[in-house]
């Protein structure tokens, strides 16, 4: 009776499985184990599973076993760093995890030592860890090779279903199996196969041998002969059915810096994974491995400098590729532009210092969307290529290309590639059923002949296995599947760039929005708030110290050490809020430390500035520094808590000395229980606690439609997947408006500042808001304190404004993004929550309204309603995400003209970085402006000490999409360099204007 191809394939798989039970000829248990110095037996529970524990044992392999065929098999019950030490002092280290449990040895006598944790690669606790297996085996290499080859044939036949080659593959495999001389002794056979799934279902197995006999020499020889014949037949088939397509394999081990485990465990994962990769390189000249993230190498430099030296050697040999060029693989939606600059600046400098090279490829496989500012930042950091894979996760719409030019806000382009591997994405496998669909899914194959494929266990690290390396060699001789060889990421992109010069590749213009994981803009808002405060505190500290240097003080010290902490916590599973609670305890503590250090630096810089100001007769002086490029009216909070809000101007990047006695409030500030008013705004608070009227006096326009700052709770924030990551589009179908406040009262009524307090309760949570208007304010601040104790709920503010526009303006790194306010297409429908930095604006000709914030990122703009997500409370992976109290401020700002004409950006800057002041005595009143910027309005990124040599580095950017004249005015004896890149090196600049739309410009300032 003839069987179908499918039936024959099933039979082949069953018969192939049998070979695995005869893979070892003999085995020898390793006894005498200790657990933290105390004896532990095979299959015994760990005495405890707290922290890192240490196993130890000694092993001696039988003299009649060929050394090269001996393997150590271990399963200790978790993840381990395994070290084998030999009598001559030589040692070798490996990572031990569920995917790496078999190891070669270099001598017959050796000691075994581990550092182990009772956890699996994704952080899951092993709640009942045991010493499961510890033995030496004599590997029957012919059986092992044949089993693997037959397994790969079955995988190839499966994925090539319908291809003409499939019957030939099955024929060849069947002939190989029929040629075997196979054992059948009852006792040995039953004992060998007892572990099979089928046998484990039997009511009661007969008595089993402890160490059943393996294949005889003749039987093993029949497997060797079958393997050779089968490989020869595959080569013959390859002539008739050539390999189709080409994949460049890069060994990889994506290690999340922190995610379902704290950073302390990541430090151990690094050592385990890196040692595993090095051990594979020792045994394969072809294997290539890539690992990004300067932070990891800097940590290894501290934890295991000998390991770093071994890695450096492999980097020099071209086997280990330090890819990426950034400090970590960061989120790119939320960091400010200057943070992204520092990712590249400090990353590239580290790689160059320690490995003698810079990177040309940005490696961000796992991030949740990409800012349109990134292409320009990368190009200015010497990086012309970009890799990701997460764009394939979008739920509704997909970028139509996978090899394309990505064009950023300013027009800069980087060559971008993404592959679509359905088998674990960037954690791919070396096997036919991974290769074939990855090549099939490659849409750029008509323009370029190769796609990239990253392989190796990842997210929790681990990386490539010895079997993967062995599989690659076997698959070289297979017919019909894609050709796949180890190579370098850099080499792939070099070849792709040659293609791009010869052929016109598609272009994707602007941000790359991920239609998934939108809730990462809101979850864990505590770390987001501290991160923004840390960014701003460092930038301001550098600016104050640099201004002091321009007035005669010493050159400031680098704050790179603190910047590294901020950059580390921008990692794409920390800042987005998708990690466990322990990660956020660490992150908030670290960021608090940065903020504290930066505030000390600011205070020291203010004292230094004051010491370099002209002496005078003002005994009650207020020294005020404006660390931005926009003039601002004086608003300051004094040491005794007094608020000043005068009309006195503070010039950009200036130091101004005021006589406090002469400072008066700006105009007449009026307030009662439901009304606030100054010379710019008239505000009415309704009985529901919302803003019922917001009059912009300069135009006479009502800014809102109905009521603004409506607080809505959505109690069904329960995504179908990825609890901390996602918010499903139907969350709004059940909303509860908080419109019955427990209290409304006037709590401040001074000449400089007035405030109305509104208190709400929702179930177990409270929201307290202060509507604040200062005498000189052009915006209504809403100072908010939330005490949250309800799970899986989302709190948002909705603001219907009296404006009609088809687009809204969202601030992003180094510029803005214009997004549609309608839902005509599936692309717009999918963008129901999107990132904004300090403001979202809705304007029509002549008038607009902006929603500003100092700590939030998740926004929406639908029709005339600007929304912002304030807090959400998922239960996985942190059951207590955002539990408790948090405070932040957002603001409503009506304005005349477009957002850039109406002063939205200066007000957003002021909300996030108020003027900096110090009280002093014996100074002369007046203003010093060490640095002047003239021409088209631009925005400030940083003023910092140069990384090399003397001088300062100034970085500005054009924020609105305009071009024009720009010039610097420096103190006598100072000069500015020509244009620099972000690595602070001279570049050729070709722009027809002094500054072009969204351009980032950098100069070095130094004494001539």
């Amino acid at each position: 009776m003839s069987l179908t191809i499918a039936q024959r394939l099933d039979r082949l798989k069953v018969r192939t499985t049998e070979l695995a039970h005869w893979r070892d000829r003999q085995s020898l248990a390793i006894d005498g184990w200790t657990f933290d110095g105390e004896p532990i037996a095979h299959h015994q529970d760990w005495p405890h599973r707290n922290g890192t524990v240490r196993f130890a044992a000694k092993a001696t392999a039988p003299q009649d076993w060929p050394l090269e065929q001996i393997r150590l098999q271990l399963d200790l019950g978790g993840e381990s760093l395994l070290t084998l030490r030999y009598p001559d002092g030589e040692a070798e280290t490996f990572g031990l995890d569920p995917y790496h449990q078999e190891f070669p040895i270099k001598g017959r006598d050796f000691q075994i030592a581990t550092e182990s944790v009772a956890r699996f690669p994704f952080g899951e606790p092993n709640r009942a860890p045991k010493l499961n297996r510890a033995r030496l085996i004599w590997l029957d290499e012919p059986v092992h090779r044949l089993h693997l080859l037959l397994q790969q044939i079955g995988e190839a036949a499966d994925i090539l279903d319908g291809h003409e080659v499939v019957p030939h593959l099955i024929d060849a495999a069947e002939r190989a199996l029929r040629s075997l001389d196979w054992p059948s002794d009852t006792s040995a056979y039953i004992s060998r196969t007892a572990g099979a799934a089928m046998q484990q279902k039997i009511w009661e197995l007969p008595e089993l041998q402890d160490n059943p006999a393996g294949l005889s020499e003749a039987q093993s020889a029949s497997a060797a002969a079958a393997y050779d014949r089968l490989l020869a037949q595959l080569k013959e088939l390859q002539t008739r059915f050539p390999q189709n397509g080409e994949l460049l394999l890069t060994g990889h081990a994506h290690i999340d810096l922190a995610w379902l485990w704290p950073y302390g465990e990541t430090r151990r994962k690094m050592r385990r994974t890196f040692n595993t990769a090095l051990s594979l390189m020792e045994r394969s000249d072809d294997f290539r491995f890539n690992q990004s993230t300067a932070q990891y190498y800097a940590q290894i430099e501290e934890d295991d400098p000998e390991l770093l030296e071994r890695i450096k050697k492999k980097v020099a040999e071209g086997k280990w590729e330090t890819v990426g060029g950034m400090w970590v693989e960061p989120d790119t939606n939320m960091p400010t532009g200057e943070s992204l600059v520092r990712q590249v600046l400090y990353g590239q400098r580290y790689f160059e210092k320690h490995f003698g090279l810079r990177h040309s490829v940005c490696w961000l496989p796992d991030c949740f969307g990409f800012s349109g500012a990134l292409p320009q930042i990368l190009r200015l950091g010497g990086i012309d290529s970009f890799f990701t894979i997460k764009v394939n996760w979008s739920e509704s719409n997909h970028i139509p290309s996978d090899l394309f030019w990505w064009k950023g806000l300013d027009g800069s382009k980087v060559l971008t590639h993404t592959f679509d591997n359905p088998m674990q994405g960037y954690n791919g496998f070396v096997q036919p059923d991974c290769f074939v669909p990855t090549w099939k899914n490659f849409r750029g194959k008509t323009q370029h002949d190769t796609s990239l494929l990253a392989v190796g266990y990842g997210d929790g690290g681990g990386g490539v296995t010895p079997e993967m390396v062995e599989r690659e060699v076997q698959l070289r001789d297979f017919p019909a599947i894609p050709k796949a060889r180890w190579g370098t990421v850099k080499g792939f992109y070099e070849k792709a760039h040659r293609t791009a010069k010869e052929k016109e590749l598609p272009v994707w213009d602007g941000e790359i929005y991920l239609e998934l994981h939108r809730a990462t803009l809101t979850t864990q808002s505590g770390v987001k708030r501290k991160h923004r405060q840390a960014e701003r505190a460092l930038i301001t500290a550098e600016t104050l110290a640099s201004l002091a240097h321009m007035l005669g003080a010493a050159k400031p010290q680098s704050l790179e050490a603190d910047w590294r902490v901020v950059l580390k916590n921008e990692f794409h599973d920390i800042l987005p809020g998708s990690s466990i609670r322990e990660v956020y305890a660490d992150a908030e503590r670290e960021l608090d430390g940065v903020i504290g250090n930066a505030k000390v630096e600011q205070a020291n810089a203010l004292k230094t500035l004051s010491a370099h100001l002209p002496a005078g007769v003002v005994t009650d002086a207020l020294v005020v520094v404006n660390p931005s490029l926009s003039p601002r009216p004086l608003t300051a909070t004094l040491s005794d808590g007094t608020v000043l809000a005068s009309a006195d101007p503070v010039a950009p990047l200036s130091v101004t000395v005021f006589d406090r006695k002469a400072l008066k409030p700006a105009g007449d500030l009026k307030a009662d229980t439901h009304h606030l008013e100054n010379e710019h705004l008239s505000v009415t608070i309704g009985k529901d606690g919302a803003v019922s009227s917001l009059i912009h006096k300069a135009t006479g326009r009502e800014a809102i439609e109905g009521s603004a700052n409506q607080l809505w709770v959505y109690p069904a924030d329960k995504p179908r997947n990825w609890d901390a990551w996602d918010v499903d589009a139907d969350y709004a179908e059940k909303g509860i408006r908080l419109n019955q406040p427990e209290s409304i009262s006037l709590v401040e009524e001074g000449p400089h500042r007035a405030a109305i307090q509104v208190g709400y309760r929702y179930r177990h949570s409270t929201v307290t808001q202060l509507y604040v208007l200062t005498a000189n304010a052009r915006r209504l601040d809403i100072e908010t304190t939330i005490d949250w104790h309800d799970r899986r709920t989302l709190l948002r503010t909705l603001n219907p404004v009296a404006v009609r526009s088809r687009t809204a303006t969202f601030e992003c790194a180094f510029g803005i993004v214009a997004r549609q306010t309608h839902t005509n297409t599936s692309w717009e429908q999918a963008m129901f929550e999107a990132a904004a930095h300090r403001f979202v604006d809705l304007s029509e000709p002549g008038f607009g309204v902006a929603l500003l914030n100092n700590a939030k990122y998740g926004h929406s703009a639908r029709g005339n309603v600007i929304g912002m997500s304030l807090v959400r409370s998922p239960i996985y992976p942190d059951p207590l995400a955002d539990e408790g109290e948090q405070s932040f401020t957002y603001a409503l700002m009506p304005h005349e003209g477009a957002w850039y004409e109406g002063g939205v950006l200066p007000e957003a800057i002021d909300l996030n970085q108020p003027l900096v002041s110090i009280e002093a005595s014996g100074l002369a009143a007046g203003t010093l402006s060490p640095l002047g910027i003239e021409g088209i309005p631009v925005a400030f990124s940083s003023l910092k000490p140069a990384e090399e040599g003397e001088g300062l580095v100034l970085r500005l950017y054009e924020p609105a999409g305009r071009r024009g004249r720009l010039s610097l005015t420096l103190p006598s004896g100072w000069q500015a360099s020509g244009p620099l890149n972000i690595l602070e090196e001279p570049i050729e600049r070709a722009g027809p204007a002094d500054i072009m739309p969204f351009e980032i410009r950098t100069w070095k300032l130094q004494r001539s």
Side-chain angles (χ1 to χ4, degrees):
M1 183 182 77
S2 62
L3 299 180
T4 66
I5 290 295
Q7 290 168 331
R8 291 173 66 194
L9 182 56
D10 284 343
R11 183 176 65 188
L12 171 63
K13 291 177 182 177
V14 169
R15 292 179 177 177
T16 297
T17 302
E18 181 188 7
L19 273 64
H21 301 298
W22 303 84
R23 188 173 169 270
D24 58 280
R25 290 195 180 190
Q26 296 180 34
S27 64
L28 176 68
I30 300 173
D31 296 312
W33 285 90
T34 61
F35 175 99
D36 282 347
E38 298 297 323
I40 185 172
H42 283 261
H43 309 297
Q44 181 181 333
D45 291 336
W46 289 18
H48 69 83
R49 54 187 185 88
N50 303 321
T52 305
V53 302
R54 287 168 170 77
F55 284 90
K58 295 180 180 179
T60 299
Q63 289 295 323
D64 58 337
W65 291 9
L67 183 62
E68 67 278 4
Q69 295 176 24
I70 300 174
R71 299 292 184 269
L72 169 66
Q73 291 184 338
L74 291 178
D75 178 359
L76 303 179
E79 283 196 278
S80 303
L81 182 70
L82 166 69
T83 301
L84 307 181
R85 297 190 181 279
Y86 298 94
D88 62 0
E90 185 178 1
E92 190 168 18
T93 304
F94 306 87
L96 169 61
D97 59 44
Y99 314 115
H100 299 82
Q101 295 189 338
E102 186 171 289
F103 311 95
I105 62 173
K106 293 185 174 181
R108 296 186 185 279
D109 298 299
F110 55 95
Q111 294 181 329
I112 305 170
T114 79
E115 297 174 12
S116 304
V117 292
R119 293 186 182 272
F120 299 118
F122 282 80
E124 315 99 306
N126 184 351
R127 302 192 187 279
K130 298 176 184 287
L131 198 167
N132 295 312
R133 181 191 302 153
R135 67 175 191 164
L136 294 170
I137 67 163
W138 175 1
L139 180 68
D140 195 321
E141 287 190 331
V143 175
H144 164 72
R145 289 197 305 268
L146 180 61
H147 172 256
L148 183 59
L149 187 60
L150 288 167
Q151 188 176 335
Q152 298 214 89
I153 288 173
E155 292 162 354
D158 254 338
I159 199 65
L160 293 171
D161 183 33
H163 194 288
E164 187 181 351
V165 76
V166 172
H168 300 284
L169 289 173
I170 295 175
D171 279 345
E174 289 174 338
R175 285 196 297 271
L177 284 167
R178 284 195 295 269
S179 73
L180 295 178
D181 178 10
W182 208 248
S184 58
D185 174 72
T186 297
S187 180
Y189 201 100
I190 295 300
S191 299
R192 282 270 174 179
T193 59
M198 176 177 65
Q199 301 302 95
Q200 287 292 304
K201 297 177 182 179
I202 293 174
W203 179 282
E204 190 70 43
L205 286 168
E207 186 175 349
L208 305 175
Q209 294 182 20
D210 287 337
N211 199 356
L215 270 60
S216 67
E217 290 292 340
Q219 290 165 339
S220 182
S222 76
Y227 178 84
D228 291 340
R229 285 194 299 271
L230 182 54
L231 205 60
Q233 288 173 299
L234 290 174
K235 292 180 181 179
E236 291 175 7
L237 286 173
Q238 191 183 85
T239 302
R240 182 175 171 187
F241 303 102
Q243 292 191 330
N244 175 37
E246 186 168 348
L247 300 172
L248 186 143
L249 302 179
T250 175
H252 185 46
H254 187 69
I255 306 175
D256 285 313
L257 188 139
W259 179 28
L260 303 176
W261 53 86
Y263 182 66
E265 183 61 23
T266 305
R267 293 169 67 171
R268 292 186 283 272
K269 285 179 178 290
M270 283 185 249
R271 295 180 67 201
R272 295 193 287 259
T273 301
F274 293 178
N275 275 289
T276 293
L278 289 169
S279 73
L280 292 175
M281 289 175 188
E282 293 294 334
R283 294 165 175 86
S284 170
D285 288 333
D286 298 321
F287 174 61
R288 298 292 181 269
F289 180 78
N290 88 70
Q291 181 63 58
S292 74
T293 305
Q295 167 76 32
Y296 290 166
Y297 298 103
Q299 189 67 67
I300 291 295
E301 186 181 3
E302 292 182 17
D303 294 350
D304 195 341
E306 181 183 353
L307 175 58
L308 182 63
E309 291 305 313
R310 292 170 60 206
I311 293 171
K312 287 181 179 180
K313 180 181 177 183
K314 294 303 178 184
V315 171
E317 293 174 3
K319 293 185 174 182
W320 183 301
E321 195 175 9
T322 57
V323 72
M326 303 180 94
W327 191 254
V328 300
E329 293 179 14
D331 175 83
T332 74
N333 288 313
M334 291 176 278
T336 187
E338 187 61 27
S339 278
L340 295 174
V341 164
R342 302 301 176 98
Q343 287 282 356
V344 176
L345 172 65
Y346 295 135
Q348 289 281 52
R349 285 177 59 82
Y350 185 89
F351 286 120
E352 186 167 35
K353 177 181 178 181
H354 292 276
F355 298 98
L357 50 83
R358 292 180 182 176
H359 295 304
S360 59
V361 180
C362 178
W363 181 267
L364 298 179
D366 192 29
C367 301
F368 311 149
F370 303 97
S371 168
L374 202 55
Q376 182 181 193
I377 293 169
L378 296 178
R379 292 305 296 248
L380 289 172
I383 297 172
D384 61 8
S385 305
F386 178 69
F387 172 77
T388 186
I389 194 171
K390 213 55 173 265
V391 292
N392 296 320
W393 285 39
S394 283
E395 293 177 299
S396 303
N397 308 284
H398 293 270
I399 292 176
S401 308
D402 45 19
L403 181 64
F404 58 95
W405 288 108
W406 177 24
K407 183 187 291 188
L409 295 177
D410 73 313
S412 295
K413 294 192 296 184
V414 289
L415 187 60
T416 300
H417 178 52
T418 178
F419 59 79
D420 185 1
N421 166 28
M423 297 184 71
Q424 300 299 314
Y426 49 79
N427 300 320
F429 300 115
V430 181
Q431 53 193 66
D433 45 354
C434 181
F435 291 179
V436 172
T438 300
W439 176 254
K440 180 181 178 181
N441 292 339
F442 179 39
R443 287 163 286 177
K445 61 171 67 76
T446 58
Q447 294 157 309
H448 190 61
D449 61 4
T450 309
S451 180
L452 195 63
L453 177 61
V455 296
Y457 289 97
D459 291 337
V464 176
T465 64
E467 181 182 294
M468 291 180 184
V469 175
E470 192 172 356
R471 278 173 169 267
E472 183 272 331
V473 176
Q474 288 186 350
L475 290 173
R476 295 177 190 179
D477 295 319
F478 269 56
I481 67 170
K483 176 183 177 182
R485 299 289 187 273
W486 300 110
T488 64
V489 175
K490 181 180 179 182
F492 169 84
Y493 277 97
E494 287 174 345
K495 185 177 178 182
H497 273 280
R498 291 195 292 271
T499 294
K501 290 179 180 178
E502 299 167 359
K503 299 180 181 180
E504 185 175 351
L505 297 182
V507 176
W508 181 265
D509 196 328
E511 69 173 331
I512 296 177
Y513 175 83
L514 180 66
E515 296 176 1
L516 196 71
H517 294 359
R518 303 167 183 87
T520 58
L521 301 171
T522 304
T523 303
Q524 297 286 5
S525 55
V527 80
K528 292 172 168 60
R529 182 175 65 257
K530 290 183 185 297
H531 167 260
R532 190 182 295 189
Q533 291 170 350
E535 284 180 312
R536 195 50 51 193
L538 287 175
I539 292 170
T540 300
E542 291 174 336
T543 302
L544 299 182
S546 296
L547 291 173
H549 182 45
M550 297 187 79
L551 292 177
K555 179 189 174 184
Q557 297 296 309
S558 170
L559 299 183
E560 180 178 352
D562 283 303
W563 269 110
R564 286 186 178 189
V565 176
V566 173
L567 302 181
K568 171 193 170 189
N569 285 292
E570 289 172 353
F571 181 75
H572 62 258
D573 274 312
I574 300 180
L575 185 56
S578 48
S579 291
I580 58 173
R581 183 158 34 111
E582 292 83 349
V583 169
Y584 293 103
D586 290 345
E588 293 195 28
R589 184 187 68 252
E590 290 179 357
L591 292 171
D592 276 335
V594 170
I595 295 166
N597 293 345
K599 292 293 186 182
V600 169
E601 294 292 335
Q602 289 182 27
N604 292 338
L606 280 171
K607 291 177 183 176
T608 303
L609 274 168
S610 298
H612 285 80
L613 296 175
V617 298
V618 180
T619 57
D620 189 9
L622 184 66
V623 180
V624 180
V625 182
N626 181 352
S628 73
L629 288 185
S630 300
R632 305 194 219 173
L634 172 62
T635 303
T637 301
L638 306 181
S639 58
D640 62 2
T642 302
V643 174
L644 298 177
S646 76
D648 300 89
V650 184
L653 291 179
S654 72
V655 185
T656 302
V657 178
F658 293 100
D659 186 341
R660 277 185 55 187
K661 298 185 181 67
L663 296 174
K664 305 297 180 187
D668 187 18
L669 180 61
K670 302 174 183 178
D672 62 38
T673 307
H674 288 277
H675 189 70
L676 300 171
E677 186 173 352
N678 65 10
E679 64 177 314
H680 303 294
L681 302 175
S682 175
V683 182
T684 302
I685 307 302
K687 293 182 180 181
D688 60 357
V691 182
S692 59
S693 177
L694 179 57
I695 304 294
H696 181 246
K697 288 187 172 182
T699 60
R701 291 237 346 217
E702 172 62 67
I704 64 174
E705 189 174 281
S707 61
N709 192 37
Q710 301 176 22
L711 296 181
W712 286 82
V713 174
Y714 301 96
D717 180 21
K718 300 174 182 180
R720 67 186 187 280
N721 202 355
W722 300 106
D723 198 32
W725 292 257
D726 286 353
V727 54
D728 282 357
D730 72 341
Y731 78 90
E733 292 185 9
K734 181 179 181 180
I736 300 169
R737 185 177 169 193
L738 303 184
N739 57 4
Q740 296 181 338
E742 293 186 328
S743 63
I744 301 178
S745 58
L746 181 67
V747 293
E748 294 183 48
E749 193 179 4
H752 291 272
R753 172 180 153 119
I756 297 170
Q757 180 174 287
V758 180
Y760 302 92
R761 176 172 294 277
Y762 171 75
R763 294 183 180 175
H764 309 284
S765 304
T766 60
V767 180
T768 304
Q769 295 196 311
L770 283 179
Y771 290 104
V772 176
L773 196 65
T774 57
N776 57 10
R778 297 176 181 271
R779 65 178 195 257
L780 173 66
D781 285 355
I782 306 169
E783 297 180 359
T784 304
T785 298
I786 295 174
D787 191 13
W788 205 251
H789 301 281
D790 289 277
R791 292 294 92 194
R792 304 191 86 179
T793 54
L794 170 64
L795 177 67
R796 305 192 83 231
T797 174
L798 298 183
N799 300 275
V801 298
V803 172
R804 174 171 171 76
S805 176
R806 291 172 57 82
T807 60
T809 301
F810 291 61
E811 191 197 24
C812 67
F814 289 140
I816 54 97
V817 180
R819 298 191 175 110
Q820 303 297 324
T821 60
H822 59 75
T823 55
N824 286 356
T825 73
S826 59
W827 293 86
E828 284 114 21
Q829 292 164 18
M831 203 176 288
F832 58 85
E833 185 89 346
H837 282 199
R838 295 171 292 189
F839 70 85
V840 173
D841 182 82
L842 206 57
S843 292
E844 61 190 25
F847 185 77
V849 182
L851 178 65
L852 320 178
N853 77 86
N854 72 355
K856 299 298 171 184
Y857 295 94
H859 293 77
S860 61
R862 287 287 188 251
N864 69 326
V865 180
I866 306 173
M868 184 168 68
S869 296
L870 304 181
V871 67
R872 66 184 303 268
S873 45
I875 59 172
Y876 177 82
D878 177 4
L880 299 177
D882 276 331
E883 181 79 1
E885 187 171 297
Q886 59 177 285
S887 298
F888 51 88
T889 300
Y890 55 98
L892 287 166
M893 181 190 171
H895 57 85
E896 196 167 1
W899 69 269
Y900 50 84
E901 298 166 328
V904 170
L905 181 57
E907 289 292 338
I909 291 170
D910 185 73
L911 178 62
N912 282 268
Q913 178 54 70
L915 298 170
V916 184
S917 62
I918 188 173
E919 295 158 55
S921 180
L923 298 177
T927 296
L928 290 176
S929 297
L931 175 60
I933 314 294
E934 298 177 355
I936 185 174
V938 292
F940 178 78
S941 186
S942 67
L943 181 63
K944 60 178 283 293
E947 297 297 327
E948 300 290 341
E950 295 300 314
L952 305 170
V953 169
L954 171 68
R955 189 161 18 259
L956 311 174
Y957 67 97
E958 196 291 308
R962 298 168 292 184
R963 68 182 73 195
R965 185 181 63 82
L966 186 70
S967 62
L968 310 181
T969 303
L970 302 173
S972 176
W974 283 75
Q975 64 182 13
S977 71
L980 305 179
N981 60 23
I982 63 173
L983 304 180
E984 302 177 10
E985 300 165 333
I987 56 171
E988 293 292 329
R989 183 182 167 276
D994 292 334
I995 195 162
M996 297 294 289
F998 301 115
E999 183 181 6
I1000 305 163
R1001 290 216 54 187
T1002 305
W1003 297 264
K1004 189 171 187 180
L1005 314 179
Q1006 57 191 130
R1007 292 188 177 95
S1008 53

